[in-house]
Amino acid sequence: AGGGRCALSRCPAAAQRWRSGRAMGAPAGGPRDTAPGQQLRALFYALPPAESSFRTVEEVPDYVEKSIPFFLTFIGLEFAVSWIQKRKLPGRINDGISSLSLGILSRLPDVLFRSIELISYIYVWNNYRLFELPWDSPWTWYLTLLGVDFAYYCFHRMSHEVNILWAAHQVHHSSEDYNLFTALRQSVLQKYTSWMFNLPMALFIPPSVFAVHLQFNLLYQFWIHTEVITKLGPLEWILNTPSHHRVHHGRNPYCIDKNYGGTLIIWDRIFGTFEAEDEKIIYGLTHPVNSFDPIMVQLRPLAHIWNTFWATPGFCNKLSVIFKGPGWGPGKPRLGLPEEIPVITGKEVPFNPHVPAYLNCYTLVHFAVIVDLYTELLSSLIMITQGTVLLRIGFIILSLISFGLLMENKSKAGILEIIRCLVFIGAYKLGYLRTQFSFLGYAYEV
């Protein structure tokens, strides 16, 4: 990004050529927008303004979708490096499938509805904007970088300090492993509150510029979910790094409510929420959910808030259950008492029910089938009816629940799995479910 700034600010002629080329509304970078090199650099927020500025939202590439091959590549690379460094893999099958299940589940509403973040932003822009910054100015690009990241810091901090927001955000923290799978572990509900924090920018920043940085901010946070990268020297002062984000995911007392930054760590340093990595970090929630069922992981904290709300006397106290911190109780400070955070011994054992190896293999293979069906659903949306879309989404959710119960070795998991397989056979035979790989159709039925 620094290179882009130099090229445009130090060379007025180059800037003028770029603006004149963009004036006709051609996507920045032209055909280069789909180049693998650009997709890779987008993952590290390394596309300068000249390559990533667009007149309209419709021209903005889906950087997240284009980065999926790099997600898989980096996950494979993390496994290889971890094995070389420590002679062990960076995670477990059950936790990895759980993270990917939650990632798929979080994206399913987008199949049915347009992103609420963009809908609300465009509505405010169209009806209430105060003035309009030029979409093709490098200064607008850099201002949006800072604005989106600061809005993320504010939302992220509130998600830890307001109980009802934490009930959604805790999904991302529920893994007791820390690897690139964890980055994909997202909440279904979180996006329905995060959009509000971006609206002030809609008063003056064009939606197309916002749409680019919303994706870049998300993509950047993928690669920092790893233990194989240690320290990054002077970059640690400015950027959010794997070291800083490991602290954020820790449940050690010194890690709680620290390092909220998305791309930049400067906000934490400014507002006093920064903490450097120190002792060995134990990951996960202070009170683990202990489940691989994606629906249970999503809803159990909400059920806890509901029960606490009705059990707490006094109207003001009931409101505090919702809007104060997760550790709050009558007579306590807003964020609870630090001494009540469970002590970490370093001997904590992650939730890891014993499951036969063949069952892990079975779940892994069937999960791969669901990923195929999910990908095919995304690619065929415009060609299938709404009813078929709903049926496919329902089957995917049923499958993810079944896999979670299988990995927990629950007694009723086998019955649910038999029902799921029968539903698959019926829906597949009737043409409601399709694979991207037609030559595997018979294998899927078997």
Side-chain angles (χ1 to χ4, degrees):
R5 177 179 59 188
C6 292
L8 291 169
S9 61
R10 296 183 182 177
C11 182
Q16 182 57 39
R17 285 196 301 270
W18 175 63
R19 290 193 183 95
S20 62
R22 300 286 296 125
M24 300 304 294
R32 293 177 297 158
D33 287 337
T34 57
Q38 279 195 325
Q39 297 167 23
L40 177 61
R41 286 186 289 122
L43 203 61
F44 297 95
Y45 224 126
L47 287 184
E51 292 182 277
S52 53
S53 294
F54 304 87
R55 180 186 290 275
T56 66
V57 171
E58 288 73 23
E59 295 175 61
V60 177
D62 190 337
Y63 290 107
V64 175
E65 183 179 341
K66 293 176 184 297
S67 297
I68 290 175
F70 292 103
F71 292 165
L72 301 177
T73 301
F74 277 112
I75 287 171
L77 186 61
E78 181 187 37
F79 271 71
V81 173
S82 180
W83 182 258
I84 293 170
Q85 287 179 342
K86 306 174 184 178
R87 285 294 183 269
K88 70 173 186 177
L89 298 178
R92 298 162 291 150
I93 290 177
N94 47 23
D95 190 83
I97 291 178
S98 177
S99 292
L100 291 173
S101 296
L102 287 161
I104 291 174
L105 193 63
S106 72
R107 302 288 290 184
L108 288 178
D110 295 336
V111 174
L112 295 172
F113 313 108
R114 193 175 178 185
S115 168
I116 187 173
E117 292 168 311
L118 280 178
I119 289 176
S120 57
Y121 193 96
I122 292 171
Y123 176 80
V124 172
W125 168 263
N126 287 337
N127 294 280
Y128 301 106
R129 71 176 178 268
L130 302 177
F131 56 92
E132 182 175 340
L133 292 178
W135 63 270
D136 56 352
S137 168
W139 297 110
T140 304
W141 195 95
Y142 287 109
L143 178 63
T144 312
L145 184 160
L146 293 173
V148 167
D149 201 57
F150 180 64
Y152 178 81
Y153 171 86
C154 295
F155 164 70
H156 197 183
R157 184 169 179 174
M158 287 299 99
S159 294
H160 282 252
E161 297 184 359
V162 176
N163 202 14
I164 192 67
L165 299 183
W166 170 248
H169 183 63
Q170 59 81 33
V171 172
H172 182 60
H173 286 262
S174 58
S175 172
E176 295 178 276
D177 294 341
Y178 189 76
N179 50 43
L180 294 177
F181 284 122
T182 309
L184 306 177
R185 193 181 190 96
Q186 300 294 330
S187 167
V188 171
L189 303 173
Q190 181 171 296
K191 67 184 73 176
Y192 299 106
T193 53
S194 62
W195 60 273
M196 294 180 284
F197 290 80
N198 294 312
L199 293 187
M201 287 181 287
L203 299 175
F204 54 92
I205 291 176
S208 60
V209 185
F210 168 74
V212 167
H213 288 277
L214 189 65
Q215 294 186 78
F216 284 177
N217 194 273
L218 175 67
L219 286 171
Y220 180 90
Q221 295 180 58
F222 170 74
W223 72 273
I224 62 177
H225 289 82
T226 184
E227 291 188 294
V228 302
I229 299 174
T230 52
K231 298 278 188 176
L232 295 178
L235 294 177
E236 303 275 340
W237 284 94
I238 302 171
L239 297 176
N240 193 12
T241 65
S243 175
H244 296 331
H245 206 58
R246 284 194 289 271
V247 171
H248 180 71
H249 274 260
R251 67 187 204 223
N252 310 53
Y254 87 94
C255 298
I256 302 298
D257 296 339
K258 299 296 182 181
N259 299 1
Y260 296 114
T263 299
L264 304 173
I265 202 65
I266 58 173
W267 314 116
D268 290 286
R269 295 185 183 278
I270 291 170
F271 297 109
T273 53
F274 174 75
E275 189 69 45
E277 187 176 19
D278 187 8
E279 62 190 67
K280 176 179 170 57
I281 296 175
I282 304 299
Y283 301 105
L285 302 170
T286 55
H287 299 88
V289 177
N290 289 342
S291 177
F292 297 125
D293 176 356
I295 301 298
M296 183 65 70
V297 174
Q298 300 276 352
L299 297 183
R300 184 175 288 176
L302 288 171
H304 175 71
I305 290 177
W306 176 264
N307 294 331
T308 306
F309 177 87
W310 290 111
T312 302
F315 179 74
C316 290
N317 284 338
K318 288 183 185 296
L319 290 180
S320 295
V321 169
I322 297 174
F323 296 110
K324 289 188 178 180
W328 179 85
K332 297 179 184 178
R334 181 175 67 89
L335 299 181
L337 297 170
E339 56 267 28
E340 291 185 350
I341 298 173
V343 176
I344 295 298
T345 65
K347 299 179 181 179
E348 286 73 17
V349 178
F351 178 65
N352 194 28
H354 175 71
V355 174
Y358 73 84
L359 196 53
N360 273 331
C361 292
Y362 174 90
T363 306
L364 190 61
V365 169
H366 278 257
F367 182 78
V369 173
I370 291 302
V371 171
D372 173 30
L373 297 179
Y374 169 70
T375 307
E376 202 279 333
L377 169 62
L378 295 181
S379 65
S380 61
L381 274 176
I382 61 173
M383 299 179 288
I384 57 179
T385 65
Q386 194 77 349
T388 302
V389 171
L390 290 172
L391 187 148
R392 293 188 185 185
I393 288 176
F395 178 73
I396 290 172
I397 294 173
L398 173 65
S399 299
L400 299 180
I401 294 172
S402 183
F403 300 156
L405 296 179
L406 285 172
M407 293 184 296
E408 293 178 31
N409 213 3
K410 289 290 181 69
S411 57
K412 296 181 180 179
I415 297 173
L416 181 62
E417 180 61 12
I418 290 172
I419 294 172
R420 188 190 75 87
C421 288
L422 291 175
V423 171
F424 172 82
I425 289 293
Y428 194 80
K429 284 291 190 184
L430 293 173
Y432 291 110
L433 292 175
R434 292 178 183 240
T435 170
Q436 295 185 98
F437 311 104
S438 56
F439 62 92
L440 290 176
Y442 181 69
Y444 280 8
E445 292 181 34
V446 171

